Structure formats: structure tokens, C-alpha cells
């Protein structure tokens, strides 16, 4: 199901993007089985607006991008809880990144993943996704590495339906993810994606404090 349009608009900020994304998810509003999971950090303010609009609980799916050395915005892959590691084979081979380099980057990002888990959740356990309709939300999907890692974490937990949602998604990744989940929903799907930040007037970094506050308000 192609639930996206290609256009040249920009979102004011992540809250604005989340509200627009929520409009495309209204069929999931006020349903007891729906759970919204944001990808920290930037995906959480977007997911918060979605959860508010749908009257659904909010939690996080912890995933860490593995950035290319000296080009950290370019993802060579991603890691997630439970030892999940997803690699972008084209980036790894195209930039000749060694296995030892990948292992070193992954080890460093695992420490940050664990730190964030403590900072965001404290002692609160993750919400149970089994037999739920789960909406995975990020602030944008360019290479798809972090979202593929998130899907790899959630899918084995047997949600009854798994939806990926983001304000802006690269068309090839939209098609790829559509084969892995039940539905992909976006607001914009531009042919020339550039960087995710290009599609936001305000793309300031989301803080740990904001993530914790949003989870506390909507969980």
C-alpha cells in the first residue's frame, strides 16, 4: 500500500512532522491493541505526537546507527538490543570498511545503547509487544539501517501487525521495508532525499532529557 506522496515541503520541526504523520495513521486511533515505539533520540518527539493523536501508549525501541569513520552521518549499519546488527553492504564494500573497524564502532555504540537504556527507562521494563499492533516511528529514513535493526528486534516478539512510520522516507527504502513489515506510512517520499535534516526547518538535536520527559508523559 503506497501511503506516501512526493513533494518539496519542509516540516517546521519534529512535533509538526509527528502531527502530520499522525493524520495518516488515524485508522489506528483509540484502539486498545496499538502501541507506538519511537527510535531515540530524534524519533521520540515524532512518536510522541503520533501516540498523543492516536491515544496510544508510547515506548522506545533502542537502536544505534553505526556511522562511517569521519562521515558519521552516513550509516554503515546499526545495532539494537539483543545483539542485533544490520549492515549496509553497499556502504561497507564501497568504502572498504574492515570487519575489525566495524567491530570497534559497534562496541563503542553498544556502550551508548546501554547508557541510553538506563537514562530513558530507569527501572521500567519495556512494554510487551506480543499480539499488539506496533507502530515503529523515526524522524526520517534514509539508508534504512536503523529501522531494519528495529524491525529485527520487534518482529520476533510476535506483534499481530507491524507498521513503520516516518515523516520522510527514501523511495527505495520504502519499497524494501514494505517487504519486511505489514505497512509503511510516510508524509513525503522525495526522489532526491539528500539528508533527513534538509526536510526540517528546525532539526535541532533531541536531548536525553526530552526523550525521558516524552516517555514519562505518554507511557
Amino acid at each position: 500500500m503506497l501511503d506516501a506522496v512526493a513533494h518539496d515541503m519542509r516540516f517546521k520541526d519534529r512535533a509538526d512532522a509527528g502531527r502530520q504523520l499522525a493524520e495518516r495513521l488515524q485508522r489506528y486511533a483509540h484502539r486498545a491493541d496499538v502501541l507506538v515505539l519511537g527510535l531515540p533520540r530524534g524519533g521520540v518527539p515524532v512518536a510522541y505526537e503520533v501516540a498523543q493523536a492516536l491515544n496510544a501508549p508510547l515506548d522506545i525501541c533502542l537502536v544505534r546507527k553505526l556511522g562511517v569513520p569521519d562521515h558519521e552521518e552516513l550509516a554503515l549499519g546499526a545495532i539494537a538490543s539483543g545483539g542485533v546488527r544490520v549492515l549496509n553492504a553497499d556502504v561497507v564494500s564501497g568504502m572498504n570498511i574492515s570487519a575489525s573497524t566495524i567491530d570497534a564502532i559497534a562496541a563503542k555504540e553498544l556502550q551508548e545503547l546501554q547508557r541510553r537504556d538506563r537514562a530513558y527507562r530507569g527501572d521500567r521494563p519495556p512494554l510487551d509487544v506480543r499480539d499488539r499492533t506496533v507502530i515503529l516511528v523515526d524522524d526520517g529514513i534514509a539508508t534504512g539501517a536503523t529501522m531494519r535493526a528495529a524491525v529485527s528486534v520487534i518482529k520476533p516478539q510476535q506483534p499481530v501487525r507491524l507498521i513503520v512510520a516516518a515523516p520522510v522516507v527514501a523511495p527505495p527504502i520504502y519499497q524494501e521495508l514494505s517487504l519486511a513489515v505489514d505497512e509503511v506510512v510516510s508524509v513525503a517520499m522525495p526522489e532526491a532525499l539528500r539528508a533527513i535534516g534538509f526536510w526540517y526547518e528546525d532539526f535541532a538535536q533531541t536531548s536525553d532529557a526530552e526523550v525521558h520527559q516524552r516517555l514519562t508523559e505518554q507511557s
Side-chain angles (χ1 to χ4, degrees):
M1 177 180 178
L2 190 63
D3 192 3
V5 293
H7 51 66
D8 296 324
M9 56 82 69
R10 291 189 187 186
F11 304 105
K12 180 180 178 182
D13 52 21
R14 289 182 179 88
D16 173 47
R19 288 189 288 269
Q20 292 194 44
L21 185 61
E23 291 176 4
R24 295 172 180 271
L25 292 161
Q26 278 302 306
R27 58 193 171 280
Y28 298 108
H30 308 295
R31 283 176 36 175
D33 67 314
V34 172
L35 172 62
V36 178
L37 300 181
L39 274 60
R41 287 185 291 210
V44 173
V46 181
Y48 173 80
E49 297 296 336
V50 171
Q52 285 272 86
L54 302 186
N55 191 29
L58 172 68
D59 202 352
I60 53 173
C61 181
L62 275 168
V63 179
R64 280 295 288 172
K65 179 175 70 176
L66 304 179
V68 173
D70 300 321
H71 301 280
E72 279 72 19
E73 285 305 308
L74 178 61
L76 65 85
I79 59 170
S81 305
V84 171
R85 183 190 292 190
V86 173
L87 297 179
N88 284 332
D90 291 346
V91 174
V92 172
S93 60
M95 303 193 74
N96 197 27
I97 303 169
S98 69
S100 60
T101 297
I102 294 171
D103 287 343
I105 295 170
K108 177 184 176 184
E109 295 301 342
L110 179 59
Q111 291 183 335
E112 176 63 11
L113 193 75
Q114 293 168 338
R115 184 198 70 78
R116 289 188 177 193
D117 192 17
R118 293 189 298 270
Y120 301 157
R121 290 191 195 282
D123 296 327
R124 184 170 60 86
L127 296 178
D128 187 4
V129 305
R130 186 181 179 90
D131 297 328
R132 304 286 292 272
T133 294
V134 176
I135 305 175
L136 280 170
V137 179
D138 205 355
D139 55 9
I141 306 175
T143 67
T146 50
M147 188 56 79
R148 289 203 309 275
V151 169
S152 297
V153 169
I154 299 302
K155 208 169 185 178
Q157 298 180 48
Q158 299 181 316
V160 70
R161 186 171 177 81
L162 183 55
I163 299 138
V164 164
V168 58
V169 182
I173 305 305
Y174 182 100
Q175 300 298 339
E176 179 186 329
L177 288 170
S178 294
L179 300 175
V181 300
D182 296 295
E183 186 179 3
V184 181
V185 178
S186 74
V187 179
M189 197 168 59
E191 291 297 331
L193 181 69
R194 307 181 193 181
I196 297 300
F198 175 81
W199 298 94
Y200 288 81
E201 294 176 13
D202 178 0
F203 199 61
Q205 188 175 42
T206 304
S207 67
D208 285 346
E210 183 178 356
V211 171
H212 184 269
Q213 179 183 359
R214 292 290 183 254
L215 288 174
T216 302
E217 289 174 356
Q218 188 66 20
S219 59

